[in-house]
Structures are given as structure tokens and as C-alpha cells.
Amino acid sequence: MKTIIEPFRIKSVEPIRMTTRAERARLIRESHFNLFGLHSDDVLIDLLTDSGTGAMSAAQWGAVMRGDESYAGSPSFFRFRDAVQNLMPFRHIIPTHQGRAAEAILFSIFGGPGRVIPSNTHFDTTRGNIEASGALAHDLVIAEGRDPASEHPFKGNMDIARLDAYLAEHGDAVPVVMLTITNNAGGGQPVSLENIRAVAATARAHGKPFFIDGCRFAENAWFIKTREPGQQDRSIPEIVRDCFADADGMTMSAKKDGFANIGGWLALNDDDLAEQARAHLIRTEGFPTYGGLSGRDLEAIAQGLSEIVDEDYLRYRIRTNEYIVERLSAMGVPVVRPAGGHAVFIDARGWLTHIDPLSYPGQALAVALYEIGGIRSCEIGTVMFGRQPDGTEVPAAMDLVRLAIPRRTYTQSHADFIVEAFGELAEMRDSLRGYRIAWEPKLMRHFTCRFEKLAG
Ligand code: F0G
């Protein structure tokens, strides 16, 4: 059979509240054209994020009931720790309430004024935590990773020559080398195993620790299995273990490839760093056998980690994105190619060429998509990354709109509905207008800033 089906049946459903286009036009205006301001029951298909929005399995809900809520030494912690170490064999596994809490702890140790931290592309919370510590974050992804049309199979790869030169130039100012798999902010593009090993070797040659932001490690492993020479006959857990084998630690959001609605961890090998991290954890998150989580969350993650590496799931997961990308491409909508792991990315700058990057073409596209189809997406471009630490504003590398696909949540007809909405959008794209930011906070402005639509 050629059709790749959702490899699950649905036992429990959540109704979607239908809205009209006129209602949505009013609702988004009342939210100052910021999609984060909408109530989620005013959204038909919520593609704002794939983070914590997935459907848990019957086995996960069963595991929830087993959660042991003891303050110290809960068996749920040990099941969680063992499940993590089965895939990522780091010495210390430190649970946090989500990925950014792990980042905050990491950069309370590694950050600080005068320091600089390279990655392929830092995600916004990683960058936010680095900058809040007074350090600077730099992105060194390969050139193909910035070209939406390039068909390079591993567009998330780090530019090894640039990393080497960067480490030679900045020397003592670099406390750690980071790598995000998959590269979310760069289009959900994977990093090859060869590149992961090369980053590790380059960091080691300069005497620097190497940490992976592993949020979407299973999707990344699927791309390695299907695209990297010599990996086809290997199991996903084997590939995952290889990805982390040369790293000194990782940060993780279990809301992605942990298949959970909340959770994360910081993992590392160094005993002294682990002690510092646990001291911070106790002060800000909780005792080291629960971090910021309840026992039932730890159980859901432990079970989720055994499900996320299932090949039938990963095949269906990646195929869903490819299907949407193929259909949008056929309609002439410029999309980041090849399809990414967790999301479909629209090249808004390339499609809405009449809107200047500093008038946020991605925001214009995201607002119109909500008005037309009730679809909530997310700008990943100049709104998110344009504001510099010195207060100036420059266009981001790309102006993308992300349709993040929650795990096991929507079906094929939802995908067809999304494609249909783009058909309508194509008809009216010349009439879309840019925006200006009327108010913004100092850091991570995209969550709360207010927009005004520009006139004609
Ligand atoms: N790193 C990456 C690559 C991420 O995508 C995220 C979250 C985080 C770290 C932080 O994890 O949310 O658990 O604190 N990304 C979500 C998204 C929010 O929509 O892409 P968190």
C-alpha cells in the first residue's frame, strides 16, 4: 500500500469551535494583530507550536496514574532517568519544568558579560537566556541553511570552518559550543551525524565543552536514517545514542520529542557542573528527583520516550509535512525545502515581495492565514529576531511563517484544509499590507508586542 496512514486510532477527542471570518477579523484586531494574544478556542487549527500540544497515548495516560508524588526519591524519577539514559547516556539527568528552565540553569553557569556562545542557530529562548546573562549568541549555520530553496539534505548543519575560525578568534570568551537538532529557527532542518561529530571534534580541539539542544532528536534521527549514507539499516535508538555520544551535555524540552505536555531536562557528564546545576535547580525548580515536575509528568515522559522512536510514527510524522510542502509548492507558494521535521515553513519574504522586511511580511501572512482559515501560525523572522541587543533593528536572515504540526493531533483533512486556505490567500496576496510595532517589551518581544497595520 502506498498511503501512509496515521498509525493510531482516536480514543478521546476535543471539539473545535467553529468561527466565521468576520469574527476572526475582529478577534485578531482586538489582539493587536499578535496571534499569541488570541484565545485558543477562537482558533480552528492551532499550528502556533508543536510544543506540549501533542496527544498522549493510552499507555502514557496509564503511566500518569502510576506517578509517585514523593518529594525525594520517587520511583517515577528513576523510570524517567533510565528512559533518558537509555537514549542519551549522560551521567547526570536533571529534570526541569521545560526546556528553557534547563537553558536558564546552563547559562547561569556558562553565561555572563563578555562571553559569546556559538550554535548552528540558537532558538529564541536559548538566545534570550544567553542575552539575559549578559553574553552574546552567534549563529553559524551553513550557507545552504539560509537559502529556503536549497535542497541540501542537512540544512541545519554547523559551518565547521566558520566554527573553527570563530573559536580561534574568540578563544577564552567561548564557554560552550551549542548545536540545535533539528534546527528549529532555521526551518526545522536536520543536522547530520557526520556534522554532529565534526562539531564535537572542533569544540574538543579548542578545549570547549559541547552541548546539544536535543528538542527534536527523534525527528533528526529519522532524517539521518533516511538521508545519510550508511545509516539506512540502523535503528532509531542506535542513531540517537550516536548523536549524543560525543557531547558533554544537552538541554531538552520534553514538550517536543518527549511526547509530553510539559517537562524537560538538563543532562551532563561533568560532576562539578552537575553540582552547580543542582544547586540552582533546588533554588529555582525543585529537589533533584523531580525538578519542576510532578511524578506523573516524569512517568508520561518516560513512556513517551519509548514511543517517539517508533519508525511507523516517524514515517507518518515526516510524511505529513512533506505532503503539505508538496501541495503548497505545486501552488507556487515558496516553502522551505526540503520539508522540515516538525513544521512547514513558508518563505513570506519570498512570497510577499511587496512588503519590506522591516514591515514584517511574515506577520502579514500569519494574520491573513488566521482571518481566512482560523489557522494560527507563528512568524519566525524579523519580528522574532530583528531587534538587536544595542536597540537597532535589522532584517532577520529570513522572514518565515511556521506551521508547526502538533504530534498525533490533526488528521489528513486538516492538512487539506490548510492547503485550501493558502489557495484563498494566493488570490489576495497583493492586497496584504505590512505592519509596524506600536509597543514592545525589552526582550523576546514577539510574544507580547502590539502591531498596527500599515495603510495602503
Ligand atoms: N530549544 C528549541 C530548539 C525549541 O524549539 C524550544 C521551544 C526550546 C528550546 C525551549 O523549550 O518551550 O520547553 O521551554 N520551542 C517551542 C516552539 C516553544 O514553539 O518552537 P521549552
Side-chain angles (χ1 to χ4, degrees):
M1 295 295 295
K2 284 205 203 66
T3 306
I4 296 173
I5 59 171
E6 286 91 357
F8 48 81
R9 300 182 297 186
I10 296 168
K11 190 187 287 253
S12 181
V13 297
E14 286 182 283
I16 293 173
R17 191 181 79 82
M18 295 298 167
T19 49
T20 64
R21 191 156 163 172
E23 260 182 275
R24 294 192 292 267
R26 174 178 60 77
L27 290 162
I28 192 66
R29 204 173 48 245
E30 287 171 2
S31 303
H32 306 279
F33 300 103
N34 188 329
L35 290 120
F36 286 95
L38 291 169
H39 291 207
S40 61
D41 53 5
D42 294 331
V43 175
L44 296 183
I45 300 183
D46 204 345
L47 308 182
L48 184 63
T49 179
D50 64 319
S51 180
T53 51
M56 291 215 294
S57 66
Q60 282 180 292
W61 285 112
V64 160
M65 289 306 294
R66 201 168 57 166
D68 179 310
E69 307 302 341
S70 303
Y71 188 92
S74 162
S76 300
F77 169 73
F78 296 105
R79 273 191 283 274
F80 160 82
R81 186 200 60 185
D82 293 351
V84 175
Q85 285 179 332
N86 176 44
L87 293 170
M88 299 111 178
F90 295 109
R91 278 166 61 78
H92 303 280
I93 311 294
I94 298 173
T96 58
H97 78 275
Q98 56 185 92
R100 65 198 69 186
E103 294 164 2
I105 294 172
L106 187 66
F107 295 112
S108 75
I109 299 169
F110 281 143
R115 301 221 163 140
V116 292
I117 295 151
S119 183
N120 48 352
T121 312
H122 292 281
F123 190 64
D124 60 348
T125 58
T126 322
R127 180 174 284 276
N129 273 299
I130 290 171
E131 290 175 356
S133 80
L136 293 176
H138 286 134
D139 298 338
L140 303 177
V141 73
I142 56 170
E144 290 89 337
R146 273 190 268 266
D147 173 5
S150 162
E151 294 279 352
H152 190 291
F154 291 103
K155 289 168 77 173
N157 280 357
M158 182 90 87
D159 186 330
I160 299 296
R162 281 178 70 205
L163 176 65
D164 194 40
Y166 183 95
L167 291 173
E169 184 188 338
H170 295 285
D172 292 346
V174 182
V176 61
V177 174
M178 295 283 300
L179 185 70
T180 314
I181 65 169
T182 57
N183 187 20
N184 181 3
Q189 297 293 321
V191 181
S192 70
L193 186 54
E194 186 188 21
N195 192 258
I196 295 174
R197 288 177 169 151
V199 173
T202 308
R204 191 147 304 137
H206 290 268
K208 304 298 179 192
F210 166 46
F211 274 60
I212 295 177
D213 173 342
C215 289
R216 299 177 180 86
F217 69 88
E219 290 164 9
N220 201 80
W222 177 258
F223 285 120
I224 289 174
K225 183 179 168 83
T226 52
R227 293 182 186 171
E228 191 158 344
Q231 299 296 325
Q232 282 64 46
D233 297 329
R234 306 188 62 224
S235 75
I236 295 296
E238 275 174 333
I239 294 172
V240 171
R241 281 181 210 116
D242 277 359
C243 289
F244 291 94
D246 293 346
D248 298 293
M250 70 180 295
T251 55
M252 176 71 190
S253 168
K255 303 171 76 172
K256 284 78 169 180
D257 279 354
F259 253 149
N261 299 126
I262 197 72
W265 64 83
L266 172 64
L268 66 180
N269 286 328
D270 186 276
D271 296 341
D272 290 341
L273 285 178
E275 196 182 314
Q276 289 179 59
R278 286 205 178 95
H280 195 289
L281 184 86
I282 292 173
R283 189 156 51 81
T284 58
E285 292 275 299
F287 189 73
T289 60
Y290 71 89
L293 295 170
S294 63
R296 54 183 170 269
D297 298 322
L298 294 167
E299 293 280 359
I301 297 167
Q303 175 61 27
L305 287 175
S306 73
E307 297 176 10
I308 201 79
V309 292
D310 176 60
E311 295 197 7
D312 291 328
Y313 160 73
L314 287 167
R315 182 178 297 108
Y316 132 82
R317 167 88 176 144
I318 303 303
R319 180 60 203 147
T320 306
N321 297 350
E322 282 171 356
Y323 173 77
I324 299 172
V325 161
E326 281 166 14
R327 296 214 33 209
L328 293 184
S329 291
M331 286 164 48
V333 179
V335 285
V336 174
R337 302 186 57 101
H342 65 297
V344 172
F345 290 75
I346 317 300
D347 176 9
R349 191 184 294 172
W351 204 33
L352 306 181
T353 46
H354 60 289
I355 301 180
D356 184 82
L358 292 177
S359 300
Y360 315 125
Q363 192 63 23
L365 180 53
V367 170
L369 196 57
Y370 173 71
E371 287 177 352
I372 289 170
I375 298 162
R376 178 155 68 169
S377 58
C378 184
E379 194 263 12
I380 298 201
T382 305
V383 176
M384 195 179 270
F385 297 119
R387 173 67 73 217
Q388 303 304 300
D390 67 4
T392 58
E393 170 126 6
V394 296
M398 299 187 266
D399 277 296
L400 303 178
V401 169
R402 184 182 74 168
L403 311 176
I405 313 294
R407 292 169 182 75
R408 303 190 291 208
T409 303
Y410 293 110
T411 65
Q412 169 93 32
S413 72
H414 294 107
D416 289 330
F417 183 92
I418 294 162
V419 172
E420 189 181 335
F422 271 92
E424 284 227 20
L425 204 54
E427 304 279 308
M428 56 175 284
R429 100 180 129 117
D430 292 340
S431 69
L432 297 188
R433 293 288 163 260
Y435 286 83
R436 63 176 283 272
I437 292 180
W439 176 86
E440 66 180 46
K442 280 202 174 67
L443 275 178
M444 291 189 275
R445 65 179 180 180
H446 52 285
F447 292 122
T448 53
C449 68
R450 294 175 178 180
F451 296 92
E452 272 168 16
K453 196 184 251 186
L454 296 173

